[in-house]
């Protein structure tokens, strides 16, 4: 293989694919990135056997071929080269090393055969649809913070993507929950997605999608089977296994009859929670909200460091109520709200609270209270 390409193109592609590679691998080939040069293009591929990312960039190919090299080493080399440089990649005749040359810099890297590199893309995708990259990314961003990190309940370690009916319309909905909080976001179902099975997209895949879907004006093609999802944007292709499990019936935990309505300035509320939680204990992070007509008092008590209170003016006309929440969870939800006003729908101190934007019905959040 002999190919020359611009450092900026190679670095961008390596930045996308190398993150998939686990730094500690017992299987040497999984520490490598696959390079294949042909037809005026260089294709890069990395995988951890559950997730695979491929990107193709323009290159001057003088000899077609392929090989694999340590992903992080190649990334660090290219990252440290000067802007505007050209990078020449050349394998030796014996297939033992790859030479990386740029200006007066010269590196020789150990390689492993292309034939040993695993392929994750085999199989048919029954469902295929296209939507704006910004829409797909927003579904992930507005829900990913609620993904569970508890490995024993593995079916909660991702985002549940599925189609739901709303009257005569279909919606593409994303849901994540860790048992303490739930996040739900939805958009009009793109054409072709109506027959999509409900699938659970793993946490790592969600994180990579958020990083890969950079262009706000781009479109992405999503393909889904019972076991895999493939997302394509331009020259980038991400293929991932899905979590094999059944997502719980989340609809049952979304409160419908909460009649105590609180409206508060989102920014002022988040700032107040952030301030008073400064002295909250790391383990509990509890903040108490005391609600009365037209006012809210936020209180944190920590036996080890003291107490804090702050009062806010709010729109609240129901019976007074005191309720406690995890301050970090409140801040996470506040960061996802889009409008200037946050709406809390409460029932009692022991029941889940519904949180939404004042003017956006396409996302909602459910938060379990804490004892304070």
């Amino acid at each position: 293989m002999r190919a020359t390409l611009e450092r900026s193109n190679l670095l961008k592609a390596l930045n996308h694919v190398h993150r998939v590679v686990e730094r500690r691998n017992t299987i040497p080939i999984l520490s490598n990135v696959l390079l294949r040069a042909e037809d005026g293009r260089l294709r890069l591929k990395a995988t951890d056997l559950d997730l695979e990312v491929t990107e193709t960039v323009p290159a001057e190919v003088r000899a077609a071929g392929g090989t694999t090299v340590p992903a992080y080493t190649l990334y660090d080399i290219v990252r440290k080269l000067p802007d505007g440089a050209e990078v020449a990649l050349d394998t030796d005749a014996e297939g033992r090393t790859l030479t990386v040359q740029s200006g007066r810099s010269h590196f020789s890297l150990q390689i492993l055969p292309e034939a040993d590199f695993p392929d994750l893309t085999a199989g048919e995708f029954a469902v295929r649809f296209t939507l704006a990259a910004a829409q797909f990314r927003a579904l992930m961003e507005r829900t990913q913070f609620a993904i569970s990190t508890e490995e024993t309940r593995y079916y909660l370690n991702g985002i549940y993507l599925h189609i739901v009916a709303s009257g005569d319309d279909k919606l593409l909905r994303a849901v994540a929950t860790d048992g303490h909080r739930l996040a739900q976001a939805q958009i009009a179902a793109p054409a072709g997605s109506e027959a999509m099975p409900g699938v659970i997209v793993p946490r790592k895949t969600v994180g990579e999608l958020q990083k890969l879907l950079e262009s706000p004006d781009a479109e992405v093609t999503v393909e889904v089977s019972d076991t895999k999802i493939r997302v394509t944007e331009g020259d980038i292709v991400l293929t991932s296994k899905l979590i094999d499990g059944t997502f719980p019936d989340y609809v049952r935990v979304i409160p419908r009859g909460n009649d105590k309505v609180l409206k508060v300035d989102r920014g002022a509320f988040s700032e107040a929670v952030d301030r008073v939680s400064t002295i909250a204990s790391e383990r509990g992070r509890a903040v108490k909200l005391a609600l009365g007509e037209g006012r809210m008092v936020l209180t944190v008590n920590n036996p080890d460091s003291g107490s804090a209170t702050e009062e806010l003016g709010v729109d609240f006309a129901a019976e007074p109520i005191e309720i406690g929440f995890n301050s970090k969870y409140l801040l996470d939800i506040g960061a996802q709200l889009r409008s200037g006003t946050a709406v809390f729908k409460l029932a009692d101190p022991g029941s889940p609270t519904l949180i939404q934007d004042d003017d956006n019905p396409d996302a909602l959040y459910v938060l379990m209270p804490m004892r304070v």
Side-chain angles (χ1 to χ4, degrees):
M1 180 187 84
R2 297 183 67 190
T4 304
L5 68 164
E6 291 184 9
R7 177 251 187 197
S8 59
N9 289 336
L10 180 57
L11 180 62
K12 184 178 179 181
L14 282 169
N15 186 44
H16 289 154
V17 304
H18 90 284
R19 291 188 302 252
V20 176
V21 177
E22 299 290 346
R23 283 192 176 271
R24 295 182 179 179
N25 257 310
T26 55
I27 306 173
I29 194 72
L30 294 183
S31 296
N32 284 14
V33 57
L34 175 109
L35 307 175
R36 165 144 284 277
E38 58 189 357
D39 302 327
R41 313 279 280 173
L42 178 71
R43 181 163 58 93
L44 300 89
K45 182 195 291 188
T47 184
D48 65 0
L49 295 182
D50 292 319
L51 173 64
E52 173 188 282
V53 174
T54 302
E55 183 162 358
T56 308
V57 293
E60 180 188 338
V61 179
R62 287 169 288 170
T67 189
T68 79
V69 292
Y72 280 91
T73 304
L74 181 60
Y75 172 72
D76 282 341
I77 289 170
V78 176
R79 181 174 58 85
K80 293 173 182 178
L81 293 175
D83 289 340
E86 282 203 335
V87 183
L89 306 172
D90 192 355
T91 54
D92 67 345
E94 291 79 24
R96 294 179 180 174
T97 60
L98 173 77
T99 299
V100 181
Q101 188 162 347
S102 181
R104 296 183 181 181
S105 300
H106 185 279
F107 304 86
S108 183
L109 303 180
Q110 296 296 311
I111 60 179
L112 291 172
E114 177 187 17
D116 293 350
F117 200 84
D119 184 13
L120 193 64
T121 58
E124 293 294 322
F125 292 88
V127 175
R128 185 176 188 272
F129 57 92
T130 301
L131 74 164
Q135 282 188 306
F136 196 53
R137 181 174 175 171
L139 285 177
M140 304 290 166
E141 286 183 339
R142 303 197 75 177
T143 54
Q144 60 85 25
F145 70 90
I147 295 174
S148 174
T149 56
E150 188 181 329
E151 297 300 331
T152 54
R153 295 197 290 174
Y154 65 93
Y155 49 85
L156 298 182
N157 295 160
I159 289 178
Y160 181 44
L161 273 183
H162 57 300
I163 300 295
V164 296
S166 176
D168 295 330
D169 300 322
K170 298 277 189 179
L171 301 171
L172 175 61
R173 179 178 290 174
V175 179
T177 182
D178 60 6
H180 304 288
R181 53 191 172 165
L182 178 146
Q184 172 187 302
Q186 60 195 25
I187 59 172
S193 67
E194 297 85 1
M196 185 183 85
V199 297
I200 307 173
V201 183
R203 182 196 310 114
K204 182 176 178 179
T205 303
V206 170
E208 289 306 313
L209 282 170
Q210 289 180 258
K211 296 168 187 170
L212 290 175
L213 303 180
E214 298 171 321
S215 173
D217 302 321
E219 284 201 334
V220 296
T221 299
V222 180
E223 297 169 89
V224 181
S225 72
D226 289 334
T227 58
K228 292 176 187 167
I229 184 170
R230 184 162 66 196
V231 180
T232 305
E233 183 203 309
D235 294 321
I236 305 171
V237 182
L238 177 148
T239 306
S240 172
K241 291 180 181 178
L242 298 166
I243 293 176
D244 182 16
T246 302
F247 202 79
D249 183 8
Y250 66 90
V251 176
R252 292 188 307 164
V253 305
I254 299 176
R256 302 296 177 190
N258 290 11
D259 56 355
K260 296 179 174 65
V261 179
L262 160 71
K263 292 186 178 183
V264 60
D265 181 274
R266 177 184 59 83
F269 176 72
S270 292
E271 290 168 4
V273 171
D274 193 28
R275 279 191 290 268
V276 299
S277 65
T278 305
I279 65 165
S281 67
E282 280 297 316
R283 198 174 79 174
R285 298 179 183 270
V287 57
K288 181 173 72 174
L289 311 183
L291 301 173
E293 186 169 352
R295 65 193 290 264
M296 171 199 294
V297 178
L298 300 90
T299 305
V300 171
N301 287 304
N302 184 346
D304 297 325
S305 58
S307 63
T309 62
E310 184 161 341
E311 184 173 329
L312 287 177
V314 298
D315 181 355
F316 185 77
E319 293 179 9
I321 183 175
E322 291 186 352
I323 189 168
F325 294 109
N326 182 307
S327 57
K328 181 182 182 302
Y329 293 174
L330 284 174
L331 291 172
D332 285 344
I333 292 173
Q336 297 306 320
L337 298 176
R338 298 290 187 262
S339 70
T341 302
V343 179
F344 289 67
K345 296 180 180 178
L346 308 101
D348 57 65
S351 298
T353 293
L354 183 67
I355 306 171
Q356 290 177 284
D357 277 307
D358 190 31
D359 56 1
N360 183 4
D362 292 331
L364 63 83
Y365 305 93
V366 179
L367 188 55
M368 293 299 296
M370 295 178 67
R371 290 184 179 179
V372 289

